[in-house]
Amino acid sequence: MGASAAENGRAAAGEAEFLAAYDPREFPPVAVTVDIVLLTLRHGLLSVLLIRRRDHPYQGYWALPGGFADPDEDLEQAAQRELLEETGLSTFPGHLEQLRTYGRPERDPRMRVISVAYLGMVPGITRPEAGSDAAVARLWPVEDVLSDDEQVRPQLAFDHATIIEDGLERVRSKLEYTSLATAFVEEPFTIADLRRVYETVWGVELDYGNFRRKVLNTDGFVEPTGDTAPTGRGYADLYRAGRTTLLQPAMLRPDSRGR
Amino acid sequence: MGASAAENGRAAAGEAEFLAAYDPREFPPVAVTVDIVLLTLRHGLLSVLLIRRRDHPYQGYWALPGGFADPDEDLEQAAQRELLEETGLSTFPGHLEQLRTYGRPERDPRMRVISVAYLGMVPGITRPEAGSDAAVARLWPVEDVLSDDEQVRPQLAFDHATIIEDGLERVRSKLEYTSLATAFVEEPFTIADLRRVYETVWGVELDYGNFRRKVLNTDGFVEPTGDTAPTGRGYADLYRAGRTTLLQPAMLRPDSRGR
DNA sequence: GTAATAGTGTCTGTGAGACATTATGGC
DNA sequence: GCCATAATGTCTCACAGACACTATTAC
């Protein structure tokens, strides 16, 4: 694509340089990794997938799943590949998006490492135990991971605590203005299932009636399957995700009412 | 920091490896650059700073300001440094935030280049002409940059059209729920100045009375200086930015009303 | 029967959109 | 005088929060 002629004929000279590769000595040495904040609902708790490190530095510490991006691989592909490798799943069943890039010079003691973080959400079916190594991959409740209590909090490698915090903030705010909550539940789901997602991620209680009215009045958010499912006592209508991704108007988070 | 002992004594062996650097042959060769989408209001148009490329590839094409991140430099620092170098300014007068990272394997024909894009907003005082090279740095109205008309649209290098589009979408949505609009005007400013920011960035007309009520009722958005300024006909009250960065409730974009 | 949950409706307050009105100063 | 703009107020509708009520089923 760059081979098409440059505009207004000003780029006449030096066409031969075009295919010249960078001289590695010309630019600073750096490694690029991807890390994934994979969130799911497990036992009614919002949980994040962590891997226990085998190697130095931070040996024995808990880290986000991730690794180097291969040379011919898109970053999102790399994130997905690493995730499948470390969970043992064969296809990625949820939503994956880029979160943010972390590049503090001292974040890895060995050399300059730039990490492109991704954020993933999957229904609560993830079983890292089924994957490669049951002893090293685990789902941690985020309230424990970010707890002030050193007894319950895992030791996190690198700047992964910051990355997890940023991921959480992203998820919490995206529940407000997108239909992302549906990525946390398997289809078909009930209104109550969806409410549970909001309540768990936001850490609040929501009025069932108002929640239901809001979801059903926002068209494209969910669509009824026509079926119902027994729910212990009584039956509940079943839904699947609609085609709308942006909620209009947004779902309001109770916290944010009082500023 | 990584030097503190790993938890539960499980990390006993191999402490010597800790300081070992990566072997460069172990990880894929890659370069990391930062690119900046610098937006400002110029002659009533939302405009973006572009640099005309001197070298191949894309010689003569227009590109976002940017360059390699130095080894000991934070990514945001690198973005700010590049921006100052290419505009000739001595301090950065506005808001700068990370936008997104672009890493498609083919985005640079020479080698794998990962670009961490930043988004900057400055009041309409930027004069790239005062900077290093008047012939190569220019502010382009974004409506021209992203126009379908090949006569008015500059030829953009790499995937910079995508980056600019993403930056625009970010700015437009952040005007809704943050007080970011104040980054586009110099203090003190009038309510009408602020309204002009919204109208220009969103490309809509807003009712002055409703806009004023909204801004003044959202406490912390702006605070009155007590002064007034002549505005051609009559005088207008002057304000400066308040301490609130998150608008609660959000400013509604007229487009989005009808879905 | 009671308890728990799904589904539904009602009342009220907040806030946004669509105006109208008044004041000020340049022309 | 006219006109543009700043500042302010009014009316109405949409919608969220609070809460009441009914139906269904497990126990």
Side-chain angles (χ1 to χ4, degrees), chain B residues 176-192:
Chain B
E176 295 188 57
Y177 61 94
T178 72
S179 58
L180 190 64
T182 57
F184 281 104
V185 290
E186 281 187 283
E187 297 185 341
F189 50 83
T190 66
I191 296 288

Side-chain angles (χ1 to χ4, degrees), chain B residues 133-210:
Chain B
D133 192 336
V136 263
R138 226 199 90 179
L139 284 174
W140 285 79
V142 295
E143 59 184 52
D144 290 353
V145 172
L146 301 178
S147 163
D148 289 330
D149 183 351
E150 297 183 3
Q151 299 301 316
V152 304
R153 177 185 36 165
Q155 294 223 57
L156 292 175
F158 307 105
D159 50 4
H160 290 189
T162 304
I163 302 179
I164 293 169
E165 275 170 18
D166 291 350
L168 272 182
E169 190 174 312
R170 171 78 63 89
V171 174
R172 291 191 175 126
S173 77
K174 286 202 87 167
L175 285 201
E176 295 188 57
Y177 61 94
T178 72
S179 58
L180 190 64
T182 57
F184 281 104
V185 290
E186 281 187 283
E187 297 185 341
F189 50 83
T190 66
I191 296 288
D193 290 335
L194 202 57
R195 181 174 69 135
R196 215 163 292 123
V197 174
Y198 277 89
E199 292 187 329
T200 307
V201 175
W202 283 351
V204 296
E205 294 206 335
L206 298 175
D207 179 89
Y208 173 83
N210 293 335

Side-chain angles (χ1 to χ4, degrees), chain B residues 191-192 195 208-209 212-213 231 233 235-237:
Chain B
I191 296 288
R195 181 174 69 135
Y208 173 83
R212 182 177 183 277
R213 178 183 56 190
T231 63
R233 299 157 182 73
Y235 288 85
D237 297 344

Side-chain angles (χ1 to χ4, degrees), chain A residues 160-205:
Chain A
H160 290 187
T162 304
I163 301 179
I164 293 169
E165 276 170 16
D166 290 351
L168 273 181
E169 189 173 314
R170 171 78 64 90
V171 175
R172 290 191 175 127
S173 77
K174 286 202 88 168
L175 284 202
E176 295 187 58
Y177 62 94
T178 72
S179 58
L180 189 62
T182 57
F184 282 104
V185 290
E186 281 187 283
E187 298 185 341
F189 51 81
T190 66
I191 297 289
D193 290 335
L194 202 56
R195 181 176 67 137
R196 215 164 293 122
V197 174
Y198 277 90
E199 292 186 329
T200 308
V201 175
W202 283 350
V204 297
E205 296 205 336

Side-chain angles (χ1 to χ4, degrees), chain B:
Chain B
M1 93 213 335
S4 65
E7 57 175 345
N8 359 351
R10 262 189 248 187
E15 198 67 48
E17 304 164 31
F18 172 71
L19 288 174
Y22 280 121
D23 181 338
R25 286 159 302 188
E26 271 180 29
F27 56 86
V30 62
V32 172
T33 61
V34 294
D35 286 313
I36 306 102
V37 179
L38 184 73
L39 297 175
T40 193
L41 263 50
R42 174 98 151 179
H43 305 140
L45 297 172
L46 183 62
S47 303
V48 59
L49 181 66
L50 296 178
I51 311 282
R52 199 182 180 96
R53 282 182 63 83
R54 282 190 227 273
D55 302 319
H56 287 285
Y58 295 104
Q59 188 182 61
Y61 283 50
W62 292 89
L64 293 170
F68 290 113
D70 288 345
D72 290 323
E73 188 182 45
D74 197 3
L75 294 172
E76 177 158 341
Q77 258 176 51
Q80 199 155 329
R81 175 182 51 74
E82 294 284 352
L83 215 41
L84 298 184
E85 284 174 17
E86 309 204 73
T87 59
L89 294 171
S90 56
T91 59
F92 180 75
H95 173 87
L96 190 66
E97 67 179 49
Q98 192 180 304
L99 174 58
R100 190 190 159 85
T101 295
Y102 298 83
R104 278 186 29 248
E106 342 75 50
R107 60 184 295 280
D108 189 314
R110 291 163 296 183
M111 70 171 293
R112 187 77 193 264
V113 177
I114 307 288
S115 171
V116 184
Y118 278 77
L119 178 63
M121 300 114 204
V122 294
I125 42 146
T126 326
R127 313 193 155 278
E129 294 76 23
S132 32
D133 192 336
V136 263
R138 226 199 90 179
L139 284 174
W140 285 79
V142 295
E143 59 184 52
D144 290 353
V145 172
L146 301 178
S147 163
D148 289 330
D149 183 351
E150 297 183 3
Q151 299 301 316
V152 304
R153 177 185 36 165
Q155 294 223 57
L156 292 175
F158 307 105
D159 50 4
H160 290 189
T162 304
I163 302 179
I164 293 169
E165 275 170 18
D166 291 350
L168 272 182
E169 190 174 312
R170 171 78 63 89
V171 174
R172 291 191 175 126
S173 77
K174 286 202 87 167
L175 285 201
E176 295 188 57
Y177 61 94
T178 72
S179 58
L180 190 64
T182 57
F184 281 104
V185 290
E186 281 187 283
E187 297 185 341
F189 50 83
T190 66
I191 296 288
D193 290 335
L194 202 57
R195 181 174 69 135
R196 215 163 292 123
V197 174
Y198 277 89
E199 292 187 329
T200 307
V201 175
W202 283 351
V204 296
E205 294 206 335
L206 298 175
D207 179 89
Y208 173 83
N210 293 335
F211 180 82
R212 182 177 183 277
R213 178 183 56 190
K214 172 66 186 175
V215 169
L216 297 183
N217 283 354
T218 303
D219 72 39
F221 192 175
V222 300
E223 46 187 39
T225 63
D227 292 331
T228 60
T231 63
R233 299 157 182 73
Y235 288 85
D237 297 344
L238 290 172
Y239 300 85
R240 67 174 76 90
R243 341 141 212 52
T244 302
T245 62
L246 253 54
L247 304 185
Q248 200 60 237
M251 185 80 76
L252 294 186
R253 177 156 37 158
D255 302 341
S256 57
R257 290 304 290 168
R259 177 90 18 92

